[in-house]
């Protein structure tokens, strides 16, 4: 589960105590009610035969066609604002090791399929060493939906090897964008956060809105709770 409060505070109920979640032709998201039986695939077909935890509601026909003219140069969605200079640090434990995730909104921009995207750097350290370094690309449409346009990620293994697995970019090798935060989230809304078949297929469903949540660092109101799932 992911909790998002106004102002962009995020807490995820996973192994880490706190962490950062890293997702129609008219640029509007496809919304639907999650079911127990619908397939999770998109594009050329499903990547998994597992019963989906979250059904993105597109019936396996996901072909967003974004118009650059429908995007703005800022990301100011109240649940996920990305203003240059903003920074979040999350610390916890993973597999018995201390883990730290540092998220920084940079001043850099990247143009993807004609859309000017905000570059956010996400660095994960485990046991005192950098384990993963990622540059994520986000853009907001005029309605206020925050789109995820891709990522350049590098994983650093303990033996000194590196991997770019999980990297993708909208428009390259069939990769498609997704939404990471809706402008007006409502319970039952489900959507793809990214789609690069076999590599990046995160989906989410809004399960609670207007909630009050208390975590170690304080109490937050007007919280949106989503259930996130990856079929890979």
């Amino acid at each position: 589960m992911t909790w998002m409060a106004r102002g962009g505070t995020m807490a995820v109920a996973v192994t880490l105590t706190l962490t950062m979640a890293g997702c129609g032709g008219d640029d509007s998201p496809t919304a639907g009610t999650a079911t127990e039986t619908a397939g999770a695939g998109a594009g050329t077909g499903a990547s998994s035969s597992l019963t989906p935890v979250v059904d993105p509601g597109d019936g396996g026909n996901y072909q967003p066609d974004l118009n650059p003219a429908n995007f703005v140069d800022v990301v100011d969605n109240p649940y996920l604002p990305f203003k240059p200079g903003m920074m979040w640090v999350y610390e916890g434990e993973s597999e018995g090791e201390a883990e730290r995730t540092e998220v920084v909104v940079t001043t850099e921009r990247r143009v993807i399929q004609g859309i000017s995207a905000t570059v956010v750097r996400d660095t994960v350290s485990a046991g005192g060493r950098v384990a993963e370094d990622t540059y994520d690309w986000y853009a907001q449409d005029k309605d206020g939906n925050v789109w995820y346009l891709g990522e350049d990620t590098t994983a650093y293994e303990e033996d000194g090897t590196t991997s770019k697995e999980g990297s993708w970019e909208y428009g390259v090798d069939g990769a498609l964008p997704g939404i990471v935060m809706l402008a007006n989230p409502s319970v039952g809304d489900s959507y793809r956060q990214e789609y690069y078949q076999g590599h990046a297929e995160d989906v989410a469903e809004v399960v609670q809105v207007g909630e009050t949540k208390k975590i170690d660092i304080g109490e937050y109101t007007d919280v949106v709770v989503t259930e996130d799932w990856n079929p890979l």
Side-chain angles (χ1 to χ4, degrees):
M1 294 286 184
T2 302
W3 305 345
M4 289 298 303
R6 283 185 177 270
T9 300
M10 179 184 290
V12 184
V14 291
T15 304
L16 283 177
T17 305
L18 295 173
T19 186
M20 187 76 177
C23 40
D26 61 353
D27 298 353
S28 61
T30 301
T33 303
T35 68
E36 299 258 324
T37 58
T44 58
S47 295
S48 173
S49 60
L50 296 175
T51 301
V53 174
V54 174
D55 169 28
D58 52 40
N61 182 26
Y62 184 67
Q63 294 294 330
D65 184 17
L66 306 187
N67 181 356
N70 196 36
F71 282 78
V72 296
D73 287 335
V74 297
V75 178
D76 60 3
N77 181 304
Y79 291 106
L80 192 64
F82 284 139
K83 181 180 179 180
M86 294 180 76
M87 177 179 177
W88 298 265
V89 176
Y90 303 92
E91 296 181 333
E93 188 174 286
S94 177
E95 298 180 354
E97 278 191 321
E99 187 163 304
R100 173 187 172 95
T101 299
E102 184 174 295
V103 181
V104 178
V105 183
T106 76
T107 58
E108 299 175 31
R109 311 287 300 180
R110 183 180 179 92
V111 177
I112 300 172
Q113 297 294 301
I115 300 170
S116 179
T118 296
V119 180
V120 177
R121 187 177 186 182
D122 183 337
T123 307
V124 179
S125 299
R129 66 175 185 83
V130 174
E132 186 173 275
D133 196 11
T134 302
Y135 291 87
D136 294 306
W137 308 314
Y138 300 97
Q140 182 174 295
D141 65 28
K142 290 180 179 179
D143 291 330
N145 302 299
V146 181
W147 290 81
Y148 189 28
L149 304 183
E151 64 180 284
D152 179 10
T153 185
T154 304
Y156 298 90
E157 306 298 338
E158 292 187 20
D159 62 5
T161 60
T162 62
S163 171
K164 303 293 287 185
E165 177 62 29
S167 298
W168 63 280
E169 181 175 339
Y170 170 35
V172 177
D173 196 27
L176 297 170
I179 286 178
V180 290
M181 181 52 62
L182 295 166
N184 299 292
S186 298
V187 172
D189 288 348
S190 54
Y191 48 92
R192 294 189 185 276
Q193 297 176 317
E194 57 187 1
Y195 191 75
Y196 180 30
Q197 190 173 26
H199 301 274
E201 299 187 23
D202 289 357
V203 294
E205 179 182 0
V206 179
V207 294
Q208 295 176 11
V209 296
E211 293 293 309
T212 296
K213 297 292 183 181
K214 187 174 183 179
I215 57 177
D216 291 346
I217 59 175
E219 184 174 280
Y220 297 87
T221 59
D222 197 11
V223 173
V224 172
V225 181
T226 64
E227 182 171 10
D228 304 332
W229 183 62
N230 186 325
L232 301 178

